[in-house]
Amino acid sequence: NSNPPSNNSWIIYPNPARDFLKLTYKGATELKGVVNVQIQDVNGKIVVKFRSGSKYRTIDIPISNLQRGNYFIQVTVENQIMMSQKFVKQ
């Protein structure tokens, strides 16, 4: 039984972002299950929901339809929060 990867196993870039946000998994352990990504606006409203297979280490998340401003991205795998971070949409 392995420990879940810590938040520093995930990075998002560029920040600020314009059309795409790249989410990269840098952890040493293999991910199991589906990677669920949610982007929320500052009011907590979910504006993007995205799912990806765990075999992909880098995921491109389209954000060109979002308004400029601050958002929060949350990554969960098997109902465990792997990362929660703020980013800026230009």
Side-chain angles (χ1 to χ4, degrees), residues 3 10 14 19 23 26 32 34 40-41 56 58 77:
N3 292 328
W10 294 88
D19 295 322
L23 173 68
K26 297 280 190 190
K32 304 224 183 311
V34 175
Q40 296 176 327
D41 65 16
Y56 301 108
T58 298
V77 178

Side-chain angles (χ1 to χ4, degrees), residues 33-89:
V34 175
V35 177
N36 291 292
V37 178
Q38 278 188 180
I39 296 177
Q40 296 176 327
D41 65 16
V42 289
N43 300 317
K45 179 177 175 236
I46 297 170
V47 292
V48 174
K49 264 189 162 178
F50 196 85
R51 289 169 62 102
S52 177
S54 57
K55 66 179 183 276
Y56 301 108
R57 291 246 165 193
T58 298
I59 303 167
D60 285 338
I61 302 161
I63 59 165
S64 58
N65 61 330
L66 296 180
Q67 301 291 322
R68 291 171 172 239
N70 295 321
Y71 292 88
F72 296 93
I73 182 167
Q74 186 173 18
V75 179
T76 57
V77 178
E78 293 187 328
N79 297 323
Q80 281 193 308
I81 296 175
M82 298 290 155
M83 182 192 79
S84 187
Q85 192 175 326
K86 186 172 146 184
F87 74 93
V88 177
K89 162 70 164 83

